[in-house]
Amino acid sequence: MPDKFCSLSELLGQVKGALEKGLPDHFWVIGEIMELHEKRHCYLELIEKSEEDDSLLARVRATIWASRFSMIRPYFEASTGTSLKSGIKILCKDSVEFHPQYGLSLIITDIDPSYTLGDLARKKQVVILRLRKEGVWDMNRELPFPAVPQRLAVSSSESAAGYEDFIKSLEQNSHGFHFYCTLFPSLMQGDEAPGSIMAAMEQIYEAESEFDCVLIIRGGGSKADLESFNHYELAYFITQFPLPVITGIGHERDESVADMVAFHGLKTPTAVAEFLIDQLLAFEFRLSALQDRLSALVNARVQKDRS
């Protein structure tokens, strides 16, 4: 048996003391949120991945105490338009804490929203460049649009205020045009929204011949909700769809990738309804013009035959 030895708690106590003496009071650290749980305090798991192969390089637990979280969260959300959630990168101010029973963790005292905002913009640009490189960017816009778009397949949430506004605008149009809408319910926000919308569009595809176009509509919401519509798989799915897709996602200032690749991207569900009404009105004008021309030709022929 060695002459000198110590207990585990003594060793870890020495580690704790060495860390406290040897490290600065705080660091600014970049990490990706892997998990986040709120139970008065906010508990996170931060990770770092390799840019080359996405392998895990580092992982650590972190905590934002309730007193700080009540200030950090609203400022972060107001600045970035997105919530603190898994999958986003943050630049946070941390102090290192080591506990003999629970190990090493970080105590987050501040988060710089400008870093996350830049990272979200970078991810959006990556999706745009990927779709362009794959040659699918313009595919849905190159589809022919029906002259009389009345049979409408709608991907939306039945309880969404935007969907109700859309239906009301169609039903109360001043020209008396009739539209036939079939709702394919789907989630319009959150991490599950892209998959839910694609599942709804799969159902539409199975009955493709019954519809003139597809509408993806939702009401207003936070800018955070818009991130679902920058999803690569959803945008790619839209480019490949055999029917024209029209979006009315409900953001006046921001344009999502889904808006960009759709046949026509409009700001609100009401704007989508107005667009469809205008299409029928334009067709009615063309018919009226043809009728007037035909009537003039017939009258001219009758006059010629009488002379």
Side-chain angles (χ1 to χ4, degrees):
M1 178 180 291
D3 294 333
K4 294 183 178 181
F5 58 89
C6 64
S7 67
L8 179 60
S9 61
E10 289 173 334
L11 173 62
L12 295 181
Q14 292 181 39
V15 171
K16 176 179 173 66
L19 289 174
E20 290 175 348
K21 291 179 181 179
L23 293 178
D25 291 338
H26 68 266
F27 300 84
W28 280 97
V29 178
I30 294 172
E32 178 181 328
I33 299 175
M34 182 178 180
E35 293 183 10
L36 183 147
H37 302 285
E38 294 180 40
K39 295 181 179 178
R40 186 166 174 262
H41 307 297
C42 179
Y43 301 98
L44 308 92
E45 192 147 11
L46 299 178
I47 60 172
E48 178 185 353
K49 295 179 182 177
S50 168
E51 294 184 1
E52 296 180 358
D53 57 10
D54 216 32
S55 60
L56 188 64
L57 298 178
R59 184 171 182 170
V60 69
R61 292 179 295 108
T63 302
I64 310 175
W65 300 124
S67 58
R68 298 295 300 173
F69 190 54
S70 63
M71 294 183 286
I72 289 173
R73 178 170 61 179
Y75 177 66
F76 180 86
E77 292 180 351
S79 300
T80 64
T82 190
S83 57
L84 287 166
K85 60 183 179 180
S86 60
I88 67 169
K89 286 186 178 180
I90 59 173
L91 174 61
C92 50
K93 184 180 180 180
D94 313 278
S95 60
V96 177
E97 181 175 273
F98 184 85
H99 192 284
Q101 288 183 314
Y102 306 113
L104 186 141
S105 64
L106 302 179
I107 304 300
I108 298 175
T109 56
D110 199 4
I111 298 177
D112 184 352
S114 62
Y115 178 84
T116 302
L117 195 60
D119 187 62
L120 292 173
R122 180 192 61 79
K123 287 182 178 179
K124 179 179 177 180
Q125 192 61 31
V126 167
V127 171
I128 290 171
L129 292 175
R130 182 177 176 183
L131 293 167
R132 289 188 181 277
K133 185 177 180 179
E134 291 171 345
V136 300
W137 183 259
D138 296 313
M139 287 184 68
N140 197 259
R141 282 195 298 274
E142 291 173 348
L143 295 174
F145 196 76
V148 187
Q150 289 179 292
R151 303 175 304 161
L152 312 175
V154 183
S155 171
S156 186
S157 170
E158 188 171 12
S159 60
Y163 176 69
E164 295 175 3
D165 292 342
F166 170 76
I167 294 298
K168 184 177 179 180
S169 296
L170 288 185
E171 291 178 345
Q172 297 181 2
N173 76 87
S174 59
H175 308 284
F177 297 141
H178 294 284
F179 294 90
Y180 309 95
C181 296
T182 303
L183 175 65
F184 293 82
S186 48
L187 299 174
M188 288 287 116
Q189 63 186 42
D191 294 339
E192 297 180 6
S196 180
I197 295 169
M198 287 187 284
M201 293 179 71
E202 286 280 10
Q203 296 178 47
I204 296 169
Y205 176 74
E206 293 175 1
E208 174 193 348
S209 61
E210 299 176 16
F211 302 106
D212 298 316
C213 59
V214 178
L215 315 176
I216 301 175
I217 57 175
R218 61 182 293 275
S222 70
K223 187 177 179 181
D225 300 333
L226 195 66
E227 287 304 310
S228 299
F229 298 91
N230 290 328
H231 195 276
Y232 167 78
E233 280 76 15
L234 175 59
Y236 184 86
F237 198 91
I238 291 172
T239 68
Q240 301 300 297
F241 208 75
L243 293 174
V245 177
I246 301 172
T247 58
I249 297 173
H251 281 265
E252 293 291 345
R253 296 183 178 181
D254 302 293
E255 186 177 30
S256 70
V257 180
D259 293 319
M260 295 176 186
V261 299
F263 182 90
H264 199 22
L266 294 158
K267 295 299 182 182
T268 64
T270 301
V272 173
E274 292 171 352
F275 170 79
L276 294 169
I277 293 167
D278 287 345
Q279 298 305 302
L280 267 63
L281 187 60
F283 182 75
E284 186 177 68
F285 284 157
R286 291 196 295 273
L287 283 181
S288 180
L290 289 172
Q291 184 180 21
D292 291 344
R293 183 180 177 187
L294 179 60
S295 178
L297 290 172
V298 170
N299 288 335
R301 182 59 184 267
V302 169
Q303 293 297 327
K304 181 178 180 181
D305 290 344
R306 287 179 177 176
S307 58

